[in-house]
């Protein structure tokens, strides 16, 4: 059962302070509790030290939230998967070894916070709108923009000249009606979208992307823009699964390999 709890899973000894800061602020905006999980990495004494430091950082970032500390008996990957089972949002540091697997399998929105993120609380929420972007991802981006009082910049990731520009309005129509206080701007990415999105992310507070629907084999041969941008962007990146949950475990997309799959 999913509850409105923001969970951050640390990845000591990699830098984790930015992830804790983002998670604490997100919990405060949602008026939700925060859960801090330390996986079974390092000695018991080290893990307790890391947890105490994370608790201190979270209270500095959002003094009024309720925080639950957890010392997990599991390694990075399994600890994160267990934590995601009932979380509204799962937050991990960009250096976590669990990130690649979570991008393919986690069932809730995953926010990857780069180690170099300076805590920027200005700029728009970016939304990358492409073939695999679900209505759930669109709604998540609008909700984050509304909570933070930010504009939303929707970037239409086109796949060739045959991709109509007016399709973006159709994709955003319901969300615009549901979040009338959010100011929406639009942009178009005709180039390799990961380079364009990475540049825009420099001045953004959050980048929201849908999770690719391509199969596992194709994703390994040619990584999707979602996976590439999550490792390159200088702002936190939220990867939101579709209504059907985790990416398929099949080797190839169910519809076979199409040109659009190579560009997703």
């Amino acid at each position: 059962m999913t509850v409105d709890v923001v969970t951050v899973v640390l990845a000591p000894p990699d830098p984790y302070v930015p992830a804790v800061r983002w998670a604490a602020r997100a919990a405060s905006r949602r008026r939700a509790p925060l859960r801090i999980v330390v996986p079974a990495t390092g000695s018991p004494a080290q893990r307790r030290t890391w947890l105490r430091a994370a608790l201190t950082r979270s209270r500095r970032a959002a003094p009024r939230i309720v925080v639950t500390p957890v010392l997990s008996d599991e390694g990075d990957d399994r600890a994160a998967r267990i934590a995601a089972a009932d979380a509204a949002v799962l937050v991990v540091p960009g250096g976590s070894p669990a990130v690649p697997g979570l991008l393919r399998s986690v069932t809730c929105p995953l926010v990857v916070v780069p180690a170099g993120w300076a805590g920027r609380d200005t700029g728009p929420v970016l939304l990358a709108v492409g073939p695999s972007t679900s209505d759930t991802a669109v709604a998540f981006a609008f909700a984050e923009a509304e909570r933070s009082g930010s504009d939303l910049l929707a970037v239409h990731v086109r796949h060739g000249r045959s991709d109509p520009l007016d399709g973006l309005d159709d994709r955003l129509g319901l969300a615009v009606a549901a979040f009338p206080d959010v100011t929406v701007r639009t942009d178009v990415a005709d180039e390799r979208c990961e380079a364009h999105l990475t540049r825009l992310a420099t001045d953004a507070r959050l980048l929201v992307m849908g999770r690719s629907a391509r199969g596992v084999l194709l994703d390994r041969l040619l990584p999707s823009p979602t996976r590439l941008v999550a490792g390159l962007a200088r702002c936190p990146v939220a990867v939101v699964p579709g209504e059907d949950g985790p990416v398929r475990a099949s080797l190839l997309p169910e519809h076979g390999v199409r040109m659009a799959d190579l560009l997703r």
Side-chain angles (χ1 to χ4, degrees):
M1 177 181 177
T2 300
V3 294
D4 195 12
V5 57
V6 176
T7 300
V8 56
V9 179
L10 307 184
D14 290 337
Y16 57 83
V17 171
V20 172
R21 183 187 299 136
W22 193 93
R25 291 177 181 174
S28 178
R29 288 192 295 268
R30 288 170 171 264
R31 298 182 181 179
L34 172 67
R35 180 169 53 196
I36 300 177
V37 179
V38 176
T41 303
S43 68
Q46 286 176 319
R47 295 170 67 214
R48 287 192 293 270
T49 298
W50 291 329
L51 186 55
R52 283 194 296 268
L55 287 168
T56 299
R57 295 290 184 178
S58 68
R59 292 187 178 115
R60 288 178 182 172
R64 297 184 180 181
I65 61 173
V66 176
V67 183
T68 301
V70 178
L71 286 172
S72 175
D73 294 327
E74 306 289 346
D76 295 91
D77 186 71
R78 183 160 171 76
R81 292 172 190 270
I82 292 173
D86 66 346
V89 180
L90 181 67
V91 184
V92 294
S96 171
V99 169
L102 292 173
L103 285 172
R104 291 193 300 268
S105 64
V106 74
T107 56
C108 68
L110 173 70
V111 178
V112 181
V113 182
W117 181 64
R120 183 185 182 95
D121 254 347
T122 58
V125 171
L126 296 183
L127 169 63
V129 183
S132 61
T133 308
S134 66
D135 292 340
T136 303
V138 173
F140 182 92
F142 272 79
E144 286 296 315
E146 183 179 66
R147 291 189 190 101
S148 59
S150 308
D151 291 353
L152 185 138
L153 176 57
V155 182
H156 185 188
V157 181
R158 298 183 71 193
H159 298 310
R161 297 182 181 276
S162 61
D163 192 355
L165 287 173
D166 57 4
L168 184 60
D169 292 335
D170 295 336
R171 296 296 307 277
L172 302 182
L174 288 176
V176 169
F179 299 91
D181 294 332
V182 175
T183 299
V184 179
R185 295 181 284 121
T186 59
D187 188 23
V188 178
D190 282 321
E191 57 186 287
R192 287 291 299 177
C193 64
E194 58 266 25
H196 189 66
L197 292 172
T198 300
R199 284 198 298 272
L200 292 175
T202 302
D203 298 319
R205 66 165 60 235
L206 178 69
L207 168 58
V208 180
M209 305 183 73
R211 185 163 55 198
S212 175
R214 60 175 61 195
V216 174
L217 178 59
L218 186 58
D219 188 62
R220 288 176 179 172
L221 292 174
L222 187 64
S224 71
T226 298
R227 183 146 66 96
L228 293 171
V229 172
L232 294 173
R234 296 179 62 182
C235 75
V237 177
V239 181
V240 183
E243 293 83 353
D244 296 332
V247 70
R248 291 186 300 274
S250 58
L251 292 178
L252 295 173
E254 291 177 355
H255 52 63
V257 180
R258 301 182 305 206
M259 182 58 67
D261 293 306
L262 301 178
L263 298 171
R264 288 182 183 181

